[in-house]
Amino acid sequence: MNDHARTTGSTFIDASEQEMANAIRALAMDAVQKANSGHPGMPMGMADVATVLFNRFITIDPSRPDWPDRDRFVLSAGHGSMLQYALHHLVGYPDMPIGELQRFRQLGSRTAGHPEYGHALGIETTTGPLGQGIATAVGMALAERMLAARYGADLVDHYTYVIAGDGCLQEGISHEAIDLAGHLRLSKLIVLWDDNRISIDGPTSLATSMDQPARFGAAGWNVSAVDGHDAEAVAAAIEQARRSDKPSLIACRTVIGKGAPNLGGSEKTHGAPLGLAEIEATRANIGWTYPPFELPGTVMRAWRAVAIRGQAARTAWERRHQSTPQREAFDRAIAGEVPAAVFEALASFRSEHFEKATNVATRKASEMALSIINAATDLPVGGSADLTHSNLTITKDMGKIAPGTFAGRYVHYGIREHAMAAAMNGIALHGGFVPYGGTFLCFADYARGAMRLSALMGQRVVYVMTHDSIGLGEDGPTHQPIEHLAMLRATPNLNVFRPADIIETAECWELALKAKDRPSVLVLSRQNLPMLRTMAPGANRSARGAYLMREAVGRRDVTLVATGSEVEIARAAADLLHERHNVRAALVSMPCWELFEEQDSAYRAEVLGKAPRIAVEAAARMGWDRWIGERGDFVGMIGFGASAPATDLYRHFGITAEAIADAALAVTQKD
Amino acid sequence: MNDHARTTGSTFIDASEQEMANAIRALAMDAVQKANSGHPGMPMGMADVATVLFNRFITIDPSRPDWPDRDRFVLSAGHGSMLQYALHHLVGYPDMPIGELQRFRQLGSRTAGHPEYGHALGIETTTGPLGQGIATAVGMALAERMLAARYGADLVDHYTYVIAGDGCLQEGISHEAIDLAGHLRLSKLIVLWDDNRISIDGPTSLATSMDQPARFGAAGWNVSAVDGHDAEAVAAAIEQARRSDKPSLIACRTVIGKGAPNLGGSEKTHGAPLGLAEIEATRANIGWTYPPFELPGTVMRAWRAVAIRGQAARTAWERRHQSTPQREAFDRAIAGEVPAAVFEALASFRSEHFEKATNVATRKASEMALSIINAATDLPVGGSADLTHSNLTITKDMGKIAPGTFAGRYVHYGIREHAMAAAMNGIALHGGFVPYGGTFLCFADYARGAMRLSALMGQRVVYVMTHDSIGLGEDGPTHQPIEHLAMLRATPNLNVFRPADIIETAECWELALKAKDRPSVLVLSRQNLPMLRTMAPGANRSARGAYLMREAVGRRDVTLVATGSEVEIARAAADLLHERHNVRAALVSMPCWELFEEQDSAYRAEVLGKAPRIAVEAAARMGWDRWIGERGDFVGMIGFGASAPATDLYRHFGITAEAIADAALAVTQKD
């Protein structure tokens, strides 16, 4: 083994891979014991596989953890986080001293219970919710191929390695992800499956009889199966996987908690400390004589050789980078700065359609804005979960991503909302692109797990969610969102935009592109909507989250607050109130609650006013009381929708100018 | 073909299956055209398969659509709803006259855009969100086997047939569902896959290269592939599937929009009317000479023979039912009435633990309540998505469901939250059981699609969702719910219970079991909580959604409203306010918003009081302003959680008695 390691570029090895792996085992069991919380079984079981992977293959430079052409490593089985933290300490990430491992799972440490993107260098993605890692890695591997197609193998040529557990492969998202990866032939994606046959409840045979290798084979993957404690077998399988023209699954048969003489192989090692007695017995069993958190120099030197090998690769890459004419374009893509020309073009677009008073569905307005954006920058990578011509997410000359063909900019994600969201996370995390993808708003339900991670990781992922209310009509209640706006607005660090017309739609696209540390959801209508803007479109009014679209004439008796397709109806209600009842209503459009919350209280008070308020949205009331106040009321949906033409539904559910006016009259009389 | 149909029990056939199938084609294309909305392609493509299935195999009695031993038919590809409505009209469901087909997708019709459970007789489940049907059918097939294990094949012996499309099989939920079905060897589940190789964006080859038969084979299914327009081949495959000891996939190679001479085989037939010219051409092409919505007597008679065959089977079953000693027990199970003894036992349980002042985590309290419930009735079927000993969902002597063994009451659903939820829907819809299943609250995200359908269909499914806040501690933000309570509370027709102690937990279980037309979510703590109840536990206080747990002494300066684990903290704040500041705080526990909303305004006003209010919940604020009012404040979570011991997190995020007291002081001074 030493010989092999030498041949892959290490300069001096004086510890066997067995000892290197035992260092992981010791760190994992000791840190979990000290925290009195955590999962020792997986790190101990996969220590040998991880050692071979890092010692012989992975190219990373811990001194430059954001080097663009590094290999990506994703610990999909995120509960085994001590495996990652042990590796990070051993290869010498500067922010991972032994003290961090001693503070495993404590407040403010870098060693959170599950790997958290941004908490420590080298963590490529947040994992923990099972299956997210493998699906995110599909996006990373896709981004690698797309970036290589643009900038060539001199600049972009790296692998994406995943360690996945039984849970990752049982979750539905894994199906969507491996189908997509197999279809696109993402040959540089290599998944090492910890085939330990144990899950939390006990043996996996309690709940599954799946032939995983056959399943991956059916999805077009290259498959092998090895003894996960046989380093040479693991290495041979990885070698073979790197040469394959398909993505690869390596089933690594392992013993969970390997090394623990009494508990090894049992679910008892999965999610609880081994206990001091078993830890002592394990030390004896594996011949590890060092105290907790102490590592011998021989082992440390062996591990640091991984970093030295990576550093050499990185400096070689930098030389290539210096000499390539594509350097500046590549660097701009990696920086992810949307060019100013995009925003200038969007400003012209707003002026033009303000003049024309263009009436279109906001999904159509989004398509028109995207045409402008995609013509002015090639950062965006679009797609849809098989609703391209409903979501209107494709624009001219984008070029399609297809099996083995990665020069395009549009991904047919298939009927796979969850994998689409996770893949977009991976594309954003990888760098070089701004991913956006479409589905119906109602199917945010299917993508929830990954959308939450977009927000938690602060990634610029843009969700284009059309058919955003009962306005979609005949498809009925299964397709009509009710609680979805509340669900998304309640999610921290996520901007939810519901524009009312073509001007706001362009504004919201601009804001989504500018929000570099936050995902955005564009919530768009199926039905046509008039251009409502009255003020000249110079300033981006949506940027403050809500604004006075039309002040009341003379005095303000009531304020009507609405979003999206209901702003038009609220405007009609305001007219009706004035004409028939001499009640003066101000009209507020509120395309983004989150941005409005960020405004100072003076602005918010000015917009909301002191008169009673009626909020109007064809969705659940949840959350609106914040803006309505105690004297106001809400016009929207009480229960689920129904199947009928949209205009019938608005009437049936009482979301009409007349109903809004009645509600306004009731609160103004109360007043 | 006629000969064959005769041998399966039909009395008189005078139309060929080809004509029977063409009747479906005509009704589908004409109804979609009339509605100017809908999906003709799938009904036309699967008309032959559906005709063979219904004509030769399915045993249903349209005059008794709820006959317990009927075969179940699930149109998983729910957008093809006209296939189902055409079949229902043809076999003679009494609520499906031709007028309903003429009102396809109109307000108030039974023929909604997608099949809606409860809208028309014989619709076994709501479908439309792709993949839900196949996963729900797994629950139905499981319920059939469990009920057969209890009551014998004389009373329970039927098949579950599914028609699924490419979308159903691409969605992740299908993976979870087929893995579970294959593992459990649900041999009476037969899935007919509409292998038309077309999805909305175009050919499925845009997005998938999956070898579906190999994939199902890997999951332990019996697999065959046939020409979906060859009736004898389809029939032979169904015959073989019925004999298999595994669940079966029959890949039916079809032409979408079959019969349409110009558009057949194209995605253009998927989701839009064919147009009058193409409809005329189709009529000529298939030799269908009748005007829209008119059917010849020969065809109607042939179809009605299906009902006659089913009626004979149903009357035979009724004779068996009459003569079995198990009759009464079976009928009670099907009625789904929880025996009074359960509620008496729960009342005693509450008294006992009120006396003992038992301090336990509410997840533990749930386990204790379940022990009482499961001992007093065998209606509940429990399970967990691989978190049995965290969710505490198993009780003594439940017996486990295992491959081919269905006498038990506990299902290891595997790491498959979505399929668990859908399977529970299927179990509830099938009848005979009350399903409950556990996961962490955070992973409600993964189950969302099916949870929404529980609510939309009004099914008594109980979700046991533990580890309900930052109180879970070290696992960190990926596992700590923030927006989930808002997401669930915003969902119509769903009771969300967050009990504060053992007494409330037992009360909430009682309410969940009594809510026959609504799913419930029990949101439970990982951490221990004291018994808080002060009033004698005779009445179920949780039944009104919120109640005054402790009135303020003398006067009410402020009202503290809290749920679950934060009630204890709010109580400590009330004590602190009284002792240190002479501020008198009333304490309200609000375990269920939905039930509180249903109370009259006098009760709500009495509970909430006129003093300013502070709401306390370790979750997002979204929705709380409804209860807080304009003068109050909220103590809870602003952003995502963190990884640390729970007590550190509560301090770190400022959810403490001191912080609540400070907030109360601020609003009372403001007052």
Side-chain angles (χ1 to χ4, degrees), chain A residues 132-155:
Chain A
Q132 294 295 334
I134 188 172
T136 305
V138 170
M140 293 178 179
L142 174 58
E144 192 268 349
R145 288 291 80 199
M146 289 192 294
L147 210 57
R150 291 185 183 192
Y151 298 103
D154 265 6
L155 288 185

Side-chain angles (χ1 to χ4, degrees), chain B residues 595-637:
Chain B
L595 293 179
F596 188 60
E597 280 175 30
E598 290 174 8
Q599 305 307 309
D600 59 44
S601 58
Y603 179 76
R604 289 193 295 180
E606 177 198 327
V607 170
L608 293 174
K610 289 179 179 166
R613 292 166 220 133
I614 304 293
V616 190
E617 186 165 69
R621 179 178 185 136
M622 176 74 59
W624 271 107
D625 287 271
R626 173 118 189 227
W627 311 122
I628 295 170
E630 285 172 356
R631 295 175 303 154
D633 206 350
F634 176 73
V635 175
M637 296 294 290

Side-chain angles (χ1 to χ4, degrees), chain B residues 131-172:
Chain B
Q132 294 295 334
I134 187 172
T136 304
V138 170
M140 293 177 179
L142 174 57
E144 191 269 350
R145 288 292 80 200
M146 291 193 292
L147 211 57
R150 291 185 182 191
Y151 298 102
D154 265 5
L155 288 185
V156 187
D157 185 13
H158 55 264
Y159 289 91
T160 302
Y161 296 102
V162 178
I163 287 182
D166 290 299
C168 298
L169 303 195
Q170 284 188 38
E171 290 288 359

Side-chain angles (χ1 to χ4, degrees), chain B residues 13 34 42 47 227 260 332 360 413 435 441 522 603 639:
Chain B
I13 299 288
K34 184 161 172 24
M42 187 281 215
D227 175 351
R332 275 197 305 274
V360 288
Y413 284 106
L441 176 59
L522 295 171
Y603 179 76

Side-chain angles (χ1 to χ4, degrees), chain A residues 172 176 183 201 209 388 448 483, chain B residues 172 176 183 201 209 388 448:
Chain A
E176 301 181 14
H183 173 68
D201 275 6
S209 305
T388 293
R448 259 296 294 165
E483 66 273 36
Chain B
E176 302 182 14
H183 173 69
D201 275 5
S209 305
T388 294
R448 260 296 292 165

Side-chain angles (χ1 to χ4, degrees), chain A residues 346-347 349-351 353-354 358 360-367 369 373 468 489 496-513 521-525 529-550 560-568 571 587-593 595 603 607 617:
Chain A
L346 281 174
F349 175 88
R350 295 209 314 263
S351 296
H353 292 287
F354 176 73
T358 304
V360 288
T362 49
R363 63 174 172 148
K364 179 68 184 171
S366 166
E367 180 189 47
I373 295 163
D468 68 349
R489 288 174 180 149
V496 182
F497 295 102
R498 190 164 188 250
D501 67 2
I502 189 170
I503 309 298
E504 284 190 12
T505 304
E507 288 174 344
C508 293
W509 257 115
E510 177 183 318
L511 295 166
L513 292 175
V521 185
L522 295 172
V523 175
L524 304 172
S525 76
L529 298 175
M531 202 288 291
L532 296 169
R533 183 64 55 91
T534 49
M535 309 86 93
N540 183 329
R541 305 269 167 187
S542 303
R544 302 191 81 171
Y547 63 98
L548 206 52
M549 182 173 263
R550 205 172 70 177
L560 307 181
V561 186
T563 78
S565 47
E566 284 71 72
V567 177
E568 173 194 11
R571 187 180 65 166
L587 178 64
V588 170
S589 179
M590 196 184 244
C592 182
W593 288 22
L595 294 179
Y603 179 76
V607 170
E617 188 167 66

